[in-house]
Amino acid sequence: DAKTTQPTSMDCAEGRAANLPCNHSTISGNEYVYWYRQIHSQGPQYIIHGLKNNETNEMASLIITEDRKSSTLILPHATLRDTAVYYCIVRAHNQGGKLIFGQGTELSVKP
Amino acid sequence: EAQVTQNPRYLITVTGKKLTVTCSQNMNHEYMSWYRQDPGLGLRQIYYSMNVEVTDKGDVPEGYKVSRKEKRNFPLILESPSPNQTSLYFCASRGAGYGYTFGSGTRLTVV
């Protein structure tokens, strides 16, 4: 699995967009970028994933650079309930099952 | 509701007393996995199963057993628990959609 690098922590004002960066400079051509979040000791929650095109769902948007060496998760209108640790993970679909979690980014949404 | 259910949520036990943490999913997923989460070490995979009767070791399998007799259940067995197995445990499953669904967690304390 490619190694990912994320900032340890970030703050965001409630109602504003939260932009969480992730570097994955050694990503392989068949590896997808996944984002999960974990709200205070709850089970990690899947947010979104993508290969090379930008993706959007009801929770967030994922922007992947053209060279695929970095990506940004965007929460368009952050709420207090979005306070969590966000994990960026890269893996191939056919490589078995393991997710390798790094330390993630602790996002604090403040009123 | 599609979910992964773990039981119990909290457990305090004594060293050497065998215990089982149950995990059940209602999504007909083939892949299931167990993780433990410890401060400073993040989430680490213990065991995983690609399908019924197929299990394999993850990164930290020592002291644990699993079984997969039917698709929906994947129990984690600690034959002789020790204090270093005090941790927060998560079960996860994955189907064809590539996103993982995690349970709510089991906080185990071994004294």
Side-chain angles (χ1 to χ4, degrees):
Chain A
D1 288 338
K3 182 179 173 64
T4 61
T5 305
Q6 300 176 250
T8 302
S9 64
M10 294 180 62
D11 289 341
C12 178
E14 188 178 18
R16 304 297 292 268
N19 297 287
L20 292 92
C22 179
N23 287 321
H24 32 78
S25 59
T26 59
I27 191 170
S28 301
N30 65 340
E31 289 183 315
Y32 287 70
V33 179
Y34 284 79
W35 283 84
Y36 285 77
R37 72 180 182 184
Q38 186 176 25
I39 299 172
H40 186 57
S41 296
Q42 296 179 22
Q45 177 188 22
Y46 165 81
I47 301 173
I48 199 167
H49 76 278
L51 183 62
K52 54 184 176 181
N53 297 321
N54 298 337
E55 302 287 346
T56 296
N57 63 20
E58 65 278 4
M59 290 183 67
S61 294
L62 174 60
I63 309 298
I64 303 174
T65 57
E66 192 167 343
D67 63 6
R68 302 209 325 123
K69 293 185 177 181
S70 65
S71 60
T72 301
L73 178 75
I74 301 171
L75 308 178
H77 305 286
T79 71
L80 299 179
R81 287 180 293 181
D82 291 322
T83 293
V85 178
Y86 287 78
Y87 297 99
C88 169
I89 299 167
V90 295
R91 65 181 297 274
H93 283 170
N94 63 351
Q95 66 175 87
K98 184 166 63 177
L99 288 176
I100 298 178
F101 289 84
Q103 296 304 309
T105 296
E106 187 168 3
L107 175 68
S108 296
V109 180
K110 300 181 184 298
Chain B
E1 180 188 354
Q3 59 186 359
V4 174
T5 303
Q6 294 178 228
N7 281 296
R9 290 294 307 278
Y10 301 91
L11 179 60
I12 301 174
T13 190
V14 296
T15 299
K17 185 177 181 181
K18 180 180 179 180
L19 67 91
T20 299
V21 184
T22 64
C23 175
S24 180
Q25 51 95 2
N26 62 0
M27 296 165 283
N28 202 37
H29 286 170
E30 291 186 348
Y31 177 87
M32 297 185 74
S33 179
W34 277 101
Y35 288 82
R36 61 177 289 176
Q37 186 171 29
D38 303 288
L41 297 175
L43 283 141
R44 295 176 293 168
Q45 191 183 55
I46 303 170
Y47 266 95
Y48 66 95
S49 170
M50 301 297 287
N51 212 327
V52 175
E53 302 292 0
V54 180
T55 63
D56 211 343
K57 297 177 180 179
D59 295 320
V60 287
E62 294 77 22
Y64 304 95
K65 285 186 178 180
V66 292
S67 69
R68 188 87 182 276
K69 293 185 171 60
E70 51 191 338
K71 187 180 275 192
R72 65 182 293 123
N73 295 323
F74 190 45
L76 180 69
I77 303 156
L78 284 74
E79 295 271 2
S80 183
S82 63
N84 65 11
Q85 292 178 298
T86 293
S87 186
L88 180 58
Y89 291 86
F90 291 104
C91 181
S93 72
R94 177 174 63 90
Y98 305 120
Y100 289 68
T101 302
F102 283 80
S104 298
T106 296
R107 189 169 291 280
L108 172 66
T109 302
V110 183
V111 298

